């Protein structure tokens, strides 16, 4: 009994020690990073007082009239305000392709554009690809060929793959690999992704 | 990201007025570089002037040159028939850059004005004279694998990351600029600058000036051209070194030549002496080797990037051989 109490105390104080010492280490090692974080918090508070702008967007055929802060990216708008969480945030810096959507039919990284800049445009996300319960041929091909493992990159891969065929850049395996290079897959499903795209391309169906 | 106010003017005049009135305003085009830097806290404009409503997308053939609007997308330019017909080198360089998605967003103006990818520039907690004049150059004695071997100063050893710009400088393009003082034309060669004592200035654009487009003079480089990019992975990575090579071969003789390198300097690096060594010579490996030797004279590397000197030489040789072999 007595021993147990002691144990708890030691554990608690050790945890506190780690907390404090890691905070000190953080300040000592990266002072300006900490200052940056503090400034950002201050920013978040002021944000609510700053004026919002109105934006009209057509997302998957549905018109939305929204009031947003200019600094909201298209990706954050889709995920956090329209709750279309199929579009993923991987890196948030244009380096992975998980956030790929179509704007007026062309593939882009939604993390690298502001939602206000897309005023009046037609946005298609992974949620808008299937026709009701009928999957898009590219979605079917990804399932058939096991074009994923964890699935995190998959919505971006599929949006990119559809555009890759539409652009006319899916004639050979080498061309597909080059034109799909903007979509990184941490699970390394690349060979199966290429197979899926090749099959849809050869099938000749309109995508 | 810090807050900012957002404007979307519909005339170039209104756009430059909006910018010149406000010391902390920035144009935004595709956003692929500026938004990245704003998220990192490297840039924090208080006002963004979105120029996407300006009529600057056109690609048109004029007498003596090809005009490309500043808002033409990198993807559209790379696939454009006039571009592939008159200046295939530009198309190759654009296709070597970024990814299909990014090229669908990135504009010609934004591409030439993108900032360096130096790690020290990108990380506000580290010293960088370009981001914060006087704070020192972290790369000089730090991790400098991606950095310059030509034209650097002890204040900055960053490189300009654009692929497109390497083709532009090789093709003798000019930049058309409109600003508070009117219109002017800057030779591409003089558009970007060397760091010297003021690395915070990437180029010769003045406050409030808007890039309207570029003009590329007609030339003979329609067949024997190549853009070779050496990078850490096969695609979707910035250049360690890149080479834009253009030859005009008649019979076996090189009538005219252009050679420029990327990934090696604070600006697109035109190799005029090497070009001179090619002109009038037979298009043989021997000639190309000599040109490559001349090209790399004066190159000076740092702890982690000296590999760029032999790599550059080999890349020039390879690019010239590939260009010459095209039929
Ligand atoms: C992951 C990743 C990989 C990349 N890989 C490559 C690569 O391999 N090769 C390569 O070359 N590039 C690469 N890039 C960079 C990309 O090419 C640039 O980000 C893009 O070209 C910038 O164009 P933009 O229109 O998006 O510019 P923006 O981000 O909109 O603007 C960039 C700057 O230019 C200014 N500006 C824009 N237009 C004008 C104008 N008309 N007049 C005056 N000022 C203007 C803006 O104020 C801003 O300061 C990569 C980018 C990312 C994110
Ligand atoms: S989240 Fe947009 S590219 Fe990674
Ligand atoms: S399936 Fe896991 S990242 Fe691609």
């Amino acid at each position: 009994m007595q021993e147990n109490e002691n144990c708890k105390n030691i554990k608690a104080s050790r945890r506190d020690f780690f907390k404090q010492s890691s905070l000190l280490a953080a300040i000592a090692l990266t002072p300006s990073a900490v200052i940056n974080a503090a400034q950002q918090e201050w920013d978040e508070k002021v944000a609510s007082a700053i004026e919002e702008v109105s934006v009209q967007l057509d997302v998957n055929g549905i018109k939305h009239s929204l009031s947003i802060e200019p600094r909201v990216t298209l990706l954050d708008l889709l995920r956090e305000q329209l709750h279309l969480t199929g579009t993923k945030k991987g890196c948030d810096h244009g380096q992975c392709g998980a956030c790929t959507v179509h704007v007026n039919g062309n593939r882009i990284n939604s993390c690298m554009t502001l939602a206000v800049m897309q005023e009046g445009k037609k946005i298609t996300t992974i949620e808008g690809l299937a026709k009701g319960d009928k999957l898009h041929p590219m979605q079917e091909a990804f399932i058939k060929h096991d074009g994923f493992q964890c699935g995190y990159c998959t919505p971006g891969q599929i949006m990119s793959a559809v555009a890759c065929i539409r652009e006319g850049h899916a004639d050979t395996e080498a061309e597909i690999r080059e034109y799909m290079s903007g979509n990184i897959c941490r699970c390394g499903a690349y060979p199966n992704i290429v197979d899926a795209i090749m099959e849809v391309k050869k099938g000749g169906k309109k995508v | 990201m810090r807050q900012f106010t957002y404007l979307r003017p519909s005339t170039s005049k209104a756009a430059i007025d909006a910018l010149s009135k406000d010391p902390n305003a920035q144009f935004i085009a595709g956003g692929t570089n500026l938004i990245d830097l704003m998220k990192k806290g490297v840039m924090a404009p208080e006002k963004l002037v979105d120029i996407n409503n300006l009529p600057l997308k056109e690609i048109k053939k004029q007498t003596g040159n090809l005009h490309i609007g500043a808002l033409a997308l990198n993807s559209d330019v790379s696939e454009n028939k006039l571009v592939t017909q008159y200046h295939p080198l530009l198309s190759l360089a654009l296709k070597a850059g970024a990814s299909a998605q990014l090229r669908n967003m990135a504009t010609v103006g934004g591409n030439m004005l993108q900032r360096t990818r130096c790690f020290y520039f990108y990380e506000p907690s580290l010293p960088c004279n370009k981001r914060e004049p006087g704070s020192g150059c972290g790369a000089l004695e730090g991790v400098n694998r991606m950095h310059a071997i030509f034209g650097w100063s002890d204040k900055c050893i960053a490189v300009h990351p654009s692929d497109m710009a390497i083709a532009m400088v090789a093709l003798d393009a000019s930049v058309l600029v409109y600003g508070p003082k009117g219109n002017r034309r800057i030779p591409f060669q003089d558009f970007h600058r060397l760091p010297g004592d003021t690395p915070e200035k990437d180029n010769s654009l003045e406050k409030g000036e808007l890039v309207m487009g570029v003009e590329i003079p007609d030339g003979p480089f329609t067949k024997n051209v190549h853009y070779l990019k050496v990078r850490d992975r096969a695609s979707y990575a910035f250049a360690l070194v890149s080479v834009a090579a253009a030859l005009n071969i008649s019979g076996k003789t090189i009538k005219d030549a252009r050679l420029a390198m990327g990934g090696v300097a604070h600006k697109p690096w035109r190799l005029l002496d090497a070009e001179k060594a090619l002109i009038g010579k037979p298009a043989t490996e021997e000639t190309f080797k000599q040109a490559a030797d001349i090209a790399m004279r004066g190159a000076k590397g740092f702890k982690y990037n000296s590999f760029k000197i032999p790599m550059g030489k080999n890349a020039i040789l390879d690019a010239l051989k590939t260009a010459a072999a095209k039929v």
Side-chain angles (χ1 to χ4, degrees), chain A residues 75 88-100 108-112 152 182, chain B residues 39 101-102 236:
Chain A
L75 174 61
K88 299 297 182 222
K89 184 184 279 192
C91 64
D92 211 21
H93 288 280
Q95 297 177 0
C96 77
C99 65
T100 304
I108 66 152
N109 300 109
S110 60
C111 69
M112 286 280 96
Y152 196 81
Chain B
K39 285 183 183 179
Q101 288 96 313
L102 288 162
Y236 199 19

Side-chain angles (χ1 to χ4, degrees), chain A residues 110-129:
Chain A
S110 60
C111 69
M112 286 280 96
T113 188
L114 302 171
V116 278
M117 292 169 69
Q118 303 305 329
E119 168 86 20
K121 305 264 172 73
K122 277 191 186 347
I123 320 282
T124 309
T125 69
I126 190 72
E127 290 90 346
L129 214 53

Side-chain angles (χ1 to χ4, degrees), chain A residues 147-154 157 184-189 193:
Chain A
F148 49 84
Q149 197 176 77
C150 77
Y152 196 81
C153 71
T154 313
Q157 298 280 1
I184 308 289
C185 175
R186 288 287 274 124
C187 301
I193 293 171

Side-chain angles (χ1 to χ4, degrees), chain B residues 178-197:
Chain B
Y178 172 56
K181 291 184 203 142
N183 290 299
R184 64 184 183 121
R185 167 189 288 265
I186 309 171
F188 210 93
Q189 172 65 32
D190 303 331
F191 186 78
H192 298 92
R193 53 189 298 285
L194 290 180
D197 286 337

Side-chain angles (χ1 to χ4, degrees), chain B residues 7-86:
Chain B
L7 289 174
R8 192 167 45 216
S10 51
T11 66
S12 302
K13 175 84 175 62
I16 61 163
D17 282 351
L19 210 79
S20 28
K21 274 189 208 128
D22 202 324
N24 211 358
Q26 286 273 327
F27 293 129
I28 186 163
T32 60
N33 190 227
L34 187 54
I35 292 175
D36 195 12
L37 292 166
M38 288 167 70
K39 285 183 183 179
K40 293 269 185 191
V42 176
M43 291 175 86
E46 280 159 19
K47 185 199 272 179
L48 279 191
V49 180
D50 182 348
I51 57 174
N52 285 291
N53 271 5
L54 307 183
L56 301 175
K57 278 208 163 69
E58 207 180 3
I59 303 172
K60 62 182 180 208
K61 184 72 187 73
Q62 309 180 140
T63 7
N65 64 48
L66 184 72
H67 175 100
I68 304 175
L71 289 174
L73 297 176
N74 285 190
S75 52
D76 289 343
V77 179
S78 72
E79 306 268 346
N80 184 278
K81 286 256 155 55
L82 292 168
V83 174
T84 52
Q85 182 186 343
Y86 288 95

Side-chain angles (χ1 to χ4, degrees), chain B residues 55-245:
Chain B
L56 301 175
K57 278 208 163 69
E58 207 180 3
I59 303 172
K60 62 182 180 208
K61 184 72 187 73
Q62 309 180 140
T63 7
N65 64 48
L66 184 72
H67 175 100
I68 304 175
L71 289 174
L73 297 176
N74 285 190
S75 52
D76 289 343
V77 179
S78 72
E79 306 268 346
N80 184 278
K81 286 256 155 55
L82 292 168
V83 174
T84 52
Q85 182 186 343
Y86 288 95
H87 303 294
L89 181 64
L90 176 61
S91 169
L92 294 175
L94 279 165
K95 285 182 178 172
S99 67
Q101 288 96 313
L102 288 162
R103 294 194 294 271
N104 275 341
M105 313 170 78
T107 63
V108 164
N111 189 315
M112 67 177 85
L113 287 159
Q114 62 176 299
R115 316 272 339 247
T116 184
R117 308 298 288 203
C118 172
F119 329 111
Y120 297 88
F121 175 74
Y122 251 80
E123 177 44 66
S125 63
L126 297 174
C128 169
N129 285 325
K130 187 181 275 301
R131 178 173 29 75
E132 207 181 313
S135 64
C137 171
L140 204 56
E141 288 181 4
V143 184
N144 46 33
R145 183 168 176 274
M146 298 296 288
H147 292 75
I149 53 172
F150 288 117
W152 45 266
S153 74
D154 61 358
K155 299 283 188 299
C156 178
I157 61 170
V159 301
H160 195 271
S162 167
D163 290 298
M164 179 197 80
I166 312 307
M168 292 281 192
V169 82
L171 295 168
D172 267 340
S174 321
V175 185
L176 308 177
V177 170
Y178 172 56
K181 291 184 203 142
N183 290 299
R184 64 184 183 121
R185 167 189 288 265
I186 309 171
F188 210 93
Q189 172 65 32
D190 303 331
F191 186 78
H192 298 92
R193 53 189 298 285
L194 290 180
D197 286 337
T198 49
E200 66 276 16
K201 245 180 114 38
D202 293 350
N203 53 58
S204 52
L205 213 59
E206 280 167 25
K207 179 73 196 160
E209 283 188 320
L210 177 70
V211 172
M212 304 292 279
V214 291
E215 274 175 14
I216 312 176
D218 294 351
F221 307 108
T222 51
K223 188 180 81 178
N224 295 114
V225 300
H226 190 56
Y227 188 77
L228 178 72
K229 186 173 177 185
V230 186
R231 43 191 156 173
D232 284 330
R233 58 184 180 203
S235 181
Y236 199 19
F238 287 94
L240 292 167
V241 302
S242 70
V243 177

